[in-house]
Amino acid sequence: EAPRSPGGPRRVIARYPHAMLVALAGGVGAARFLRGLVRVVPPAEVCVVVNTADDETFHGLTVCPDLDTVTYTLAGAEHPEQGWGLDGESFRTIEALGRYGADTWFRLGDLDLATHLFRTERLRAGATLTEVTAEITAAWGVEPRLLPMSDDRVATRITVDRGDHHEVLRMQEWFVRERSAPPVVAVEFDGADRARPAPGVLEAIDAAETILVCPSNPIISIGPILAVPGVREALEARRDRVVAVSPIIAGATVKGPADRLMGPLGIDVSCVGVARTYAPFCSTLVIDERDAGRAAEVAATGIRPVVAETLMTDARVAAALARHTLDAVA
Ligand code: FO1
């Protein structure tokens, strides 16, 4: 008999060459959702395709915020309020760097630095980001398979309005250094057109029973994943098996700058705007109870709306949301 798990009977994994559930993920919102998901399905059946267009080089180190946020959260080691970085973190090294006049606005924690040192050295030695990510997740005891969307460099560039001129900022410059304040004019994913999906990404989407789009920023978290050639097409081919969770509740973001990006790019800051954006590749959208009154508008975009509590105040709510999301396409 198959071993039991809290999520019900384990399915026979050996029959499936790839993980049965694929999740497309950005940072904090996705990580919280995935923490719920692994409570209701066997973690080893989950493959997470993670945005890497927020990645940046700081002090010579390759920092991959979304990969690390998902890893630390699934390991139960994340900073509970921030959502990113490690619990109980200190910042002595970054503060000491300030003595030399180095940039300190991106707060790399003392313990977090170990991850960036290890990753940078392994990449320098010739490992791919996919390989290093597998090593890092294994070291943290994280069971789901984490795949960067690509091993090739893709970088989000945000054009902002400075009043008398436009300026192109790197994602972390706009988001962290400038606190998402400068008005957005355009968003581009530098390198996306030449990027190849990381090994296993398209295969996992093709083989998945269900593909989940986590409650992440549609523009700068899910957008870059879709921009990697082949990914959007792979999702379109599986559209009836793709289900998303709206990251917008009652016209506002829970965390992060989605509202500062969607509006200027002509996307309604609502679950309806998310529905319109996702409709070409997604058949079902989980919207929040507070948005139940907009279900008909969502349906009119061609996506089937399903109403649930989506504000993940703790892991128990996240698990219930994951269960609802899976049931929505059962
Ligand atoms: N976010 C901040 O708002 N301020 C920071 O100083 C900061 C540092 C940081 C260090 C490592 C890391 O993995 C993430 C960090 N983040 C910080 C979060 C990061 O900017 C965002 O999680 C994503 O890029 C958006 O998903």
Side-chain angles (χ1 to χ4, degrees):
E1 201 195 330
R4 311 282 297 182
S5 77
R10 261 185 197 273
R11 281 156 289 198
V12 184
I13 301 165
R15 244 193 289 149
Y16 300 90
H18 304 285
M20 294 185 51
L21 291 175
V22 168
L24 309 189
V28 178
R32 291 189 171 150
F33 177 79
L34 293 167
R35 185 173 56 182
L37 182 67
V38 297
R39 285 184 165 210
V40 299
V41 299
E45 289 184 16
V46 178
C47 172
V48 190
V49 178
V50 183
N51 170 43
T52 56
D54 291 358
D55 294 7
E56 193 51 87
T57 306
F58 289 106
H59 316 293
L61 302 177
T62 303
V63 179
C64 303
D66 287 353
L67 280 169
D68 292 346
T69 297
V70 172
T71 301
Y72 295 161
T73 304
L74 289 176
E78 85 287 2
H79 189 286
E81 284 96 44
Q82 277 168 185
W84 53 269
L86 287 160
D87 192 15
E89 186 60 283
S90 55
F91 295 90
R92 297 187 64 191
T93 307
I94 196 79
E95 277 155 19
L97 270 168
R99 180 191 296 272
Y100 303 112
D103 278 338
T104 58
W105 52 265
F106 198 76
R107 309 277 295 161
L108 294 171
D110 296 331
L111 302 177
D112 189 29
L113 273 168
T115 305
H116 314 313
L117 285 165
F118 175 75
R119 176 164 43 223
T120 305
E121 173 56 16
R122 291 287 296 123
L123 292 171
R124 198 197 57 77
T128 65
L129 186 58
T130 301
E131 289 163 352
V132 186
T133 301
E135 292 165 7
I136 291 172
T137 51
W140 281 97
V142 167
E143 268 192 87
R145 185 170 171 222
L146 260 63
L147 294 177
M149 65 188 199
S150 178
D151 283 333
D152 302 317
R153 187 75 188 100
V154 179
T156 296
R157 297 282 181 256
I158 301 187
T159 306
V160 300
D161 187 352
R162 294 293 198 193
D164 54 352
H165 69 286
H166 288 172
E167 187 181 347
V168 180
L169 298 180
R170 306 165 89 84
M171 148 63 191
Q172 302 296 350
E173 288 176 333
W174 177 74
F175 181 53
V176 176
R177 191 186 70 198
E178 311 224 1
R179 298 174 195 277
S180 338
V184 173
V185 177
V187 174
E188 277 160 315
F189 308 121
D190 199 18
D193 51 343
R194 299 180 302 277
R196 292 153 300 175
V201 168
L202 296 182
E203 294 83 349
I205 293 171
D206 287 345
E209 179 190 276
T210 300
I211 300 125
L212 305 151
V213 182
C214 294
S216 294
N217 188 315
I219 313 284
I220 55 167
S221 298
I222 304 302
I225 304 176
L226 300 171
V228 176
V231 174
R232 181 183 273 274
E233 293 75 9
L235 292 171
E236 283 168 356
R238 304 292 322 279
R239 186 180 183 278
D240 58 328
R241 300 305 312 156
V242 181
V243 55
V245 179
S246 171
I248 306 290
I249 301 178
T253 48
V254 179
K255 199 174 192 313
D259 50 348
R260 306 271 309 146
L261 289 157
M262 291 170 73
L265 299 183
I267 302 169
D268 189 35
V269 186
S270 71
C271 60
V272 182
V274 176
R276 277 195 206 104
T277 310
Y278 288 172
F281 60 86
C282 177
S283 62
T284 308
L285 180 68
V286 179
I287 63 173
D288 192 76
E289 285 166 351
R290 296 154 194 85
D291 289 316
R294 306 204 67 176
E297 287 170 84
V298 170
T301 71
I303 281 196
R304 196 168 58 86
V306 172
V307 178
E309 171 64 79
T310 68
L311 189 62
M312 294 175 286
T313 44
D314 58 37
R316 195 186 44 80
V317 180
L321 174 59
R323 169 74 71 202
H324 260 108
T325 305
L326 293 173
D327 286 350
V329 286

PDB file of all heavy atoms in Angstrom, residues 26-28 54 63-66 68-69 84-85 105-109 112 116 171-172 175-176 221, ligand 1:
ATOM      1  N   GLY A  26       6.729  33.847  -7.668  1.00  0.00           N
ATOM      2  CA  GLY A  26       7.599  34.982  -7.410  1.00  0.00           C
ATOM      3  C   GLY A  26       8.125  34.860  -5.990  1.00  0.00           C
ATOM      4  O   GLY A  26       8.592  33.784  -5.599  1.00  0.00           O
ATOM      5  N   GLY A  27       7.992  35.935  -5.210  1.00  0.00           N
ATOM      6  CA  GLY A  27       8.590  35.966  -3.874  1.00  0.00           C
ATOM      7  C   GLY A  27       7.646  35.628  -2.742  1.00  0.00           C
ATOM      8  O   GLY A  27       7.127  34.503  -2.659  1.00  0.00           O
ATOM      9  N   VAL A  28       7.374  36.621  -1.903  1.00  0.00           N
ATOM     10  CA  VAL A  28       6.730  36.368  -0.605  1.00  0.00           C
ATOM     11  C   VAL A  28       5.333  35.737  -0.727  1.00  0.00           C
ATOM     12  O   VAL A  28       5.036  34.753  -0.051  1.00  0.00           O
ATOM     13  CB  VAL A  28       6.667  37.682   0.214  1.00  0.00           C
ATOM     14  CG1 VAL A  28       5.966  37.456   1.546  1.00  0.00           C
ATOM     15  CG2 VAL A  28       8.078  38.231   0.452  1.00  0.00           C
ATOM     16  N   ASP A  54      14.418  39.234 -10.930  1.00  0.00           N
ATOM     17  CA  ASP A  54      14.753  40.176  -9.851  1.00  0.00           C
ATOM     18  C   ASP A  54      16.198  39.980  -9.394  1.00  0.00           C
ATOM     19  O   ASP A  54      16.666  40.703  -8.515  1.00  0.00           O
ATOM     20  CB  ASP A  54      13.880  39.923  -8.605  1.00  0.00           C
ATOM     21  CG  ASP A  54      12.422  40.277  -8.801  1.00  0.00           C
ATOM     22  OD1 ASP A  54      12.075  40.752  -9.898  1.00  0.00           O
ATOM     23  OD2 ASP A  54      11.639  40.068  -7.856  1.00  0.00           O
ATOM     24  N   VAL A  63      22.702  37.373  -6.153  1.00  0.00           N
ATOM     25  CA  VAL A  63      21.587  37.292  -5.205  1.00  0.00           C
ATOM     26  C   VAL A  63      20.321  36.951  -5.996  1.00  0.00           C
ATOM     27  O   VAL A  63      20.015  37.609  -6.988  1.00  0.00           O
ATOM     28  CB  VAL A  63      21.417  38.632  -4.450  1.00  0.00           C
ATOM     29  CG1 VAL A  63      20.244  38.572  -3.482  1.00  0.00           C
ATOM     30  CG2 VAL A  63      22.712  38.996  -3.716  1.00  0.00           C
ATOM     31  N   CYS A  64      19.603  35.917  -5.561  1.00  0.00           N
ATOM     32  CA  CYS A  64      18.386  35.467  -6.243  1.00  0.00           C
ATOM     33  C   CYS A  64      17.228  35.543  -5.240  1.00  0.00           C
ATOM     34  O   CYS A  64      16.885  34.534  -4.599  1.00  0.00           O
ATOM     35  CB  CYS A  64      18.554  34.035  -6.744  1.00  0.00           C
ATOM     36  SG  CYS A  64      19.969  33.807  -7.848  1.00  0.00           S
ATOM     37  N   PRO A  65      16.635  36.722  -5.082  1.00  0.00           N
ATOM     38  CA  PRO A  65      15.676  36.929  -3.990  1.00  0.00           C
ATOM     39  C   PRO A  65      14.496  35.954  -4.000  1.00  0.00           C
ATOM     40  O   PRO A  65      14.130  35.432  -2.944  1.00  0.00           O
ATOM     41  CB  PRO A  65      15.208  38.370  -4.196  1.00  0.00           C
ATOM     42  CG  PRO A  65      16.328  39.028  -4.922  1.00  0.00           C
ATOM     43  CD  PRO A  65      16.874  37.965  -5.827  1.00  0.00           C
ATOM     44  N   ASP A  66      13.897  35.725  -5.161  1.00  0.00           N
ATOM     45  CA  ASP A  66      12.699  34.873  -5.157  1.00  0.00           C
ATOM     46  C   ASP A  66      13.049  33.411  -4.878  1.00  0.00           C
ATOM     47  O   ASP A  66      12.347  32.730  -4.116  1.00  0.00           O
ATOM     48  CB  ASP A  66      11.924  35.026  -6.467  1.00  0.00           C
ATOM     49  CG  ASP A  66      11.199  36.381  -6.548  1.00  0.00           C
ATOM     50  OD1 ASP A  66      11.214  37.111  -5.538  1.00  0.00           O
ATOM     51  OD2 ASP A  66      10.630  36.701  -7.609  1.00  0.00           O
ATOM     52  N   ASP A  68      15.484  32.395  -3.084  1.00  0.00           N
ATOM     53  CA  ASP A  68      15.827  32.293  -1.661  1.00  0.00           C
ATOM     54  C   ASP A  68      14.598  32.436  -0.773  1.00  0.00           C
ATOM     55  O   ASP A  68      14.463  31.728   0.234  1.00  0.00           O
ATOM     56  CB  ASP A  68      16.882  33.339  -1.297  1.00  0.00           C
ATOM     57  CG  ASP A  68      18.220  33.045  -1.959  1.00  0.00           C
ATOM     58  OD1 ASP A  68      18.396  31.924  -2.473  1.00  0.00           O
ATOM     59  OD2 ASP A  68      19.095  33.935  -1.966  1.00  0.00           O
ATOM     60  N   THR A  69      13.686  33.331  -1.143  1.00  0.00           N
ATOM     61  CA  THR A  69      12.466  33.511  -0.339  1.00  0.00           C
ATOM     62  C   THR A  69      11.659  32.210  -0.308  1.00  0.00           C
ATOM     63  O   THR A  69      11.184  31.778   0.753  1.00  0.00           O
ATOM     64  CB  THR A  69      11.618  34.666  -0.914  1.00  0.00           C
ATOM     65  OG1 THR A  69      12.387  35.876  -0.808  1.00  0.00           O
ATOM     66  CG2 THR A  69      10.312  34.835  -0.171  1.00  0.00           C
ATOM     67  N   TRP A  84      10.920  37.946   3.381  1.00  0.00           N
ATOM     68  CA  TRP A  84      12.195  37.634   2.728  1.00  0.00           C
ATOM     69  C   TRP A  84      13.296  37.619   3.783  1.00  0.00           C
ATOM     70  O   TRP A  84      13.115  38.168   4.876  1.00  0.00           O
ATOM     71  CB  TRP A  84      12.523  38.659   1.625  1.00  0.00           C
ATOM     72  CG  TRP A  84      12.490  40.093   2.084  1.00  0.00           C
ATOM     73  CD1 TRP A  84      11.419  40.934   2.049  1.00  0.00           C
ATOM     74  CD2 TRP A  84      13.563  40.825   2.696  1.00  0.00           C
ATOM     75  NE1 TRP A  84      11.757  42.151   2.570  1.00  0.00           N
ATOM     76  CE2 TRP A  84      13.066  42.115   2.979  1.00  0.00           C
ATOM     77  CE3 TRP A  84      14.885  40.531   3.028  1.00  0.00           C
ATOM     78  CZ2 TRP A  84      13.849  43.106   3.581  1.00  0.00           C
ATOM     79  CZ3 TRP A  84      15.668  41.517   3.623  1.00  0.00           C
ATOM     80  CH2 TRP A  84      15.158  42.781   3.890  1.00  0.00           C
ATOM     81  N   GLY A  85      14.419  37.016   3.448  1.00  0.00           N
ATOM     82  CA  GLY A  85      15.524  36.939   4.410  1.00  0.00           C
ATOM     83  C   GLY A  85      15.237  35.914   5.502  1.00  0.00           C
ATOM     84  O   GLY A  85      14.191  35.274   5.512  1.00  0.00           O
ATOM     85  N   TRP A 105      22.012  49.975   0.702  1.00  0.00           N
ATOM     86  CA  TRP A 105      20.535  50.064   0.680  1.00  0.00           C
ATOM     87  C   TRP A 105      19.876  48.705   0.490  1.00  0.00           C
ATOM     88  O   TRP A 105      18.735  48.521   0.912  1.00  0.00           O
ATOM     89  CB  TRP A 105      20.041  51.053  -0.376  1.00  0.00           C
ATOM     90  CG  TRP A 105      20.574  50.869  -1.765  1.00  0.00           C
ATOM     91  CD1 TRP A 105      21.645  51.505  -2.317  1.00  0.00           C
ATOM     92  CD2 TRP A 105      20.059  49.991  -2.784  1.00  0.00           C
ATOM     93  NE1 TRP A 105      21.844  51.076  -3.609  1.00  0.00           N
ATOM     94  CE2 TRP A 105      20.880  50.158  -3.927  1.00  0.00           C
ATOM     95  CE3 TRP A 105      18.992  49.098  -2.845  1.00  0.00           C
ATOM     96  CZ2 TRP A 105      20.663  49.441  -5.111  1.00  0.00           C
ATOM     97  CZ3 TRP A 105      18.772  48.389  -4.014  1.00  0.00           C
ATOM     98  CH2 TRP A 105      19.609  48.573  -5.134  1.00  0.00           C
ATOM     99  N   PHE A 106      20.565  47.746  -0.123  1.00  0.00           N
ATOM    100  CA  PHE A 106      20.001  46.390  -0.224  1.00  0.00           C
ATOM    101  C   PHE A 106      20.566  45.606   0.943  1.00  0.00           C
ATOM    102  O   PHE A 106      21.757  45.297   1.002  1.00  0.00           O
ATOM    103  CB  PHE A 106      20.365  45.749  -1.566  1.00  0.00           C
ATOM    104  CG  PHE A 106      19.480  44.579  -1.913  1.00  0.00           C
ATOM    105  CD1 PHE A 106      18.186  44.770  -2.378  1.00  0.00           C
ATOM    106  CD2 PHE A 106      19.932  43.276  -1.761  1.00  0.00           C
ATOM    107  CE1 PHE A 106      17.355  43.700  -2.689  1.00  0.00           C
ATOM    108  CE2 PHE A 106      19.111  42.194  -2.067  1.00  0.00           C
ATOM    109  CZ  PHE A 106      17.824  42.423  -2.533  1.00  0.00           C
ATOM    110  N   ARG A 107      19.705  45.312   1.904  1.00  0.00           N
ATOM    111  CA  ARG A 107      20.134  44.797   3.205  1.00  0.00           C
ATOM    112  C   ARG A 107      20.378  43.285   3.139  1.00  0.00           C
ATOM    113  O   ARG A 107      19.454  42.499   3.338  1.00  0.00           O
ATOM    114  CB  ARG A 107      19.065  45.112   4.251  1.00  0.00           C
ATOM    115  CG  ARG A 107      18.637  46.567   4.279  1.00  0.00           C
ATOM    116  CD  ARG A 107      19.547  47.439   5.076  1.00  0.00           C
ATOM    117  NE  ARG A 107      19.533  47.089   6.488  1.00  0.00           N
ATOM    118  CZ  ARG A 107      20.490  47.442   7.350  1.00  0.00           C
ATOM    119  NH1 ARG A 107      21.531  48.108   6.919  1.00  0.00           N
ATOM    120  NH2 ARG A 107      20.392  47.105   8.611  1.00  0.00           N
ATOM    121  N   LEU A 108      21.606  42.915   2.882  1.00  0.00           N
ATOM    122  CA  LEU A 108      21.958  41.494   2.871  1.00  0.00           C
ATOM    123  C   LEU A 108      22.325  41.083   4.297  1.00  0.00           C
ATOM    124  O   LEU A 108      23.223  41.654   4.902  1.00  0.00           O
ATOM    125  CB  LEU A 108      23.138  41.255   1.932  1.00  0.00           C
ATOM    126  CG  LEU A 108      22.861  41.516   0.443  1.00  0.00           C
ATOM    127  CD1 LEU A 108      24.152  41.471  -0.353  1.00  0.00           C
ATOM    128  CD2 LEU A 108      21.858  40.503  -0.103  1.00  0.00           C
ATOM    129  N   GLY A 109      21.614  40.110   4.832  1.00  0.00           N
ATOM    130  CA  GLY A 109      21.855  39.667   6.200  1.00  0.00           C
ATOM    131  C   GLY A 109      23.138  38.849   6.314  1.00  0.00           C
ATOM    132  O   GLY A 109      23.614  38.270   5.334  1.00  0.00           O
ATOM    133  N   ASP A 112      22.267  35.218   5.525  1.00  0.00           N
ATOM    134  CA  ASP A 112      21.846  35.154   4.120  1.00  0.00           C
ATOM    135  C   ASP A 112      23.079  35.215   3.208  1.00  0.00           C
ATOM    136  O   ASP A 112      23.115  34.560   2.158  1.00  0.00           O
ATOM    137  CB  ASP A 112      20.896  36.335   3.865  1.00  0.00           C
ATOM    138  CG  ASP A 112      20.206  36.284   2.515  1.00  0.00           C
ATOM    139  OD1 ASP A 112      19.996  35.183   1.992  1.00  0.00           O
ATOM    140  OD2 ASP A 112      19.878  37.363   1.984  1.00  0.00           O
ATOM    141  N   HIS A 116      24.595  33.494  -0.704  1.00  0.00           N
ATOM    142  CA  HIS A 116      25.091  34.209  -1.889  1.00  0.00           C
ATOM    143  C   HIS A 116      26.557  33.870  -2.161  1.00  0.00           C
ATOM    144  O   HIS A 116      26.972  33.771  -3.315  1.00  0.00           O
ATOM    145  CB  HIS A 116      24.900  35.715  -1.731  1.00  0.00           C
ATOM    146  CG  HIS A 116      23.546  36.091  -1.217  1.00  0.00           C
ATOM    147  ND1 HIS A 116      22.395  35.537  -1.743  1.00  0.00           N
ATOM    148  CD2 HIS A 116      23.152  36.902  -0.205  1.00  0.00           C
ATOM    149  CE1 HIS A 116      21.356  36.013  -1.070  1.00  0.00           C
ATOM    150  NE2 HIS A 116      21.790  36.830  -0.143  1.00  0.00           N
ATOM    151  N   MET A 171      15.391  46.469 -11.323  1.00  0.00           N
ATOM    152  CA  MET A 171      14.231  46.160 -10.470  1.00  0.00           C
ATOM    153  C   MET A 171      14.483  46.513  -8.993  1.00  0.00           C
ATOM    154  O   MET A 171      13.676  47.163  -8.338  1.00  0.00           O
ATOM    155  CB  MET A 171      13.864  44.675 -10.658  1.00  0.00           C
ATOM    156  CG  MET A 171      13.277  43.966  -9.473  1.00  0.00           C
ATOM    157  SD  MET A 171      11.692  44.618  -8.923  1.00  0.00           S
ATOM    158  CE  MET A 171      11.562  43.751  -7.358  1.00  0.00           C
ATOM    159  N   GLN A 172      15.619  46.082  -8.441  1.00  0.00           N
ATOM    160  CA  GLN A 172      15.855  46.322  -7.003  1.00  0.00           C
ATOM    161  C   GLN A 172      16.122  47.800  -6.718  1.00  0.00           C
ATOM    162  O   GLN A 172      15.837  48.274  -5.611  1.00  0.00           O
ATOM    163  CB  GLN A 172      17.010  45.448  -6.475  1.00  0.00           C
ATOM    164  CG  GLN A 172      16.812  43.946  -6.646  1.00  0.00           C
ATOM    165  CD  GLN A 172      15.632  43.371  -5.856  1.00  0.00           C
ATOM    166  OE1 GLN A 172      15.039  44.031  -5.015  1.00  0.00           O
ATOM    167  NE2 GLN A 172      15.267  42.135  -6.154  1.00  0.00           N
ATOM    168  N   PHE A 175      12.506  49.126  -6.634  1.00  0.00           N
ATOM    169  CA  PHE A 175      11.679  48.551  -5.572  1.00  0.00           C
ATOM    170  C   PHE A 175      12.243  48.838  -4.176  1.00  0.00           C
ATOM    171  O   PHE A 175      11.516  49.287  -3.281  1.00  0.00           O
ATOM    172  CB  PHE A 175      11.560  47.038  -5.806  1.00  0.00           C
ATOM    173  CG  PHE A 175      10.708  46.326  -4.788  1.00  0.00           C
ATOM    174  CD1 PHE A 175       9.418  46.747  -4.517  1.00  0.00           C
ATOM    175  CD2 PHE A 175      11.202  45.219  -4.101  1.00  0.00           C
ATOM    176  CE1 PHE A 175       8.633  46.090  -3.581  1.00  0.00           C
ATOM    177  CE2 PHE A 175      10.416  44.557  -3.168  1.00  0.00           C
ATOM    178  CZ  PHE A 175       9.141  44.994  -2.905  1.00  0.00           C
ATOM    179  N   VAL A 176      13.529  48.600  -3.985  1.00  0.00           N
ATOM    180  CA  VAL A 176      14.099  48.732  -2.640  1.00  0.00           C
ATOM    181  C   VAL A 176      14.716  50.126  -2.440  1.00  0.00           C
ATOM    182  O   VAL A 176      14.331  50.848  -1.521  1.00  0.00           O
ATOM    183  CB  VAL A 176      15.150  47.623  -2.369  1.00  0.00           C
ATOM    184  CG1 VAL A 176      15.807  47.825  -1.001  1.00  0.00           C
ATOM    185  CG2 VAL A 176      14.489  46.246  -2.441  1.00  0.00           C
ATOM    186  N   SER A 221       6.675  39.321 -11.514  1.00  0.00           N
ATOM    187  CA  SER A 221       7.023  37.983 -11.008  1.00  0.00           C
ATOM    188  C   SER A 221       6.596  36.902 -12.000  1.00  0.00           C
ATOM    189  O   SER A 221       7.400  36.080 -12.419  1.00  0.00           O
ATOM    190  CB  SER A 221       6.364  37.723  -9.650  1.00  0.00           C
ATOM    191  OG  SER A 221       6.835  38.646  -8.693  1.00  0.00           O
TER     192      SER A 221
HETATM  193  N1  FO1 B   1      13.566  43.925   0.239  1.00  0.00           N
HETATM  194  C1  FO1 B   1      13.566  45.167   0.786  1.00  0.00           C
HETATM  195  O1  FO1 B   1      12.535  45.827   0.775  1.00  0.00           O
HETATM  196  N2  FO1 B   1      14.715  45.690   1.334  1.00  0.00           N
HETATM  197  C2  FO1 B   1      15.877  44.991   1.388  1.00  0.00           C
HETATM  198  O2  FO1 B   1      16.885  45.514   1.880  1.00  0.00           O
HETATM  199  C3  FO1 B   1      15.879  43.661   0.842  1.00  0.00           C
HETATM  200  C4  FO1 B   1      16.996  42.845   0.912  1.00  0.00           C
HETATM  201  C5  FO1 B   1      16.920  41.516   0.457  1.00  0.00           C
HETATM  202  C6  FO1 B   1      18.020  40.653   0.584  1.00  0.00           C
HETATM  203  C7  FO1 B   1      17.933  39.352   0.120  1.00  0.00           C
HETATM  204  C8  FO1 B   1      16.754  38.895  -0.474  1.00  0.00           C
HETATM  205  O3  FO1 B   1      16.687  37.632  -0.917  1.00  0.00           O
HETATM  206  C9  FO1 B   1      15.663  39.732  -0.606  1.00  0.00           C
HETATM  207  C10 FO1 B   1      15.737  41.041  -0.139  1.00  0.00           C
HETATM  208  N3  FO1 B   1      14.643  41.900  -0.256  1.00  0.00           N
HETATM  209  C11 FO1 B   1      14.684  43.169   0.262  1.00  0.00           C
HETATM  210  C12 FO1 B   1      13.418  41.467  -0.906  1.00  0.00           C
HETATM  211  C13 FO1 B   1      13.462  41.565  -2.439  1.00  0.00           C
HETATM  212  O4  FO1 B   1      13.726  42.844  -2.891  1.00  0.00           O
HETATM  213  C14 FO1 B   1      12.092  41.100  -2.956  1.00  0.00           C
HETATM  214  O5  FO1 B   1      11.738  39.914  -2.295  1.00  0.00           O
HETATM  215  C15 FO1 B   1      11.973  40.670  -4.375  1.00  0.00           C
HETATM  216  O6  FO1 B   1      12.951  40.984  -5.245  1.00  0.00           O
HETATM  217  C16 FO1 B   1      10.557  40.908  -4.910  1.00  0.00           C
HETATM  218  O7  FO1 B   1       9.947  39.663  -5.029  1.00  0.00           O
END
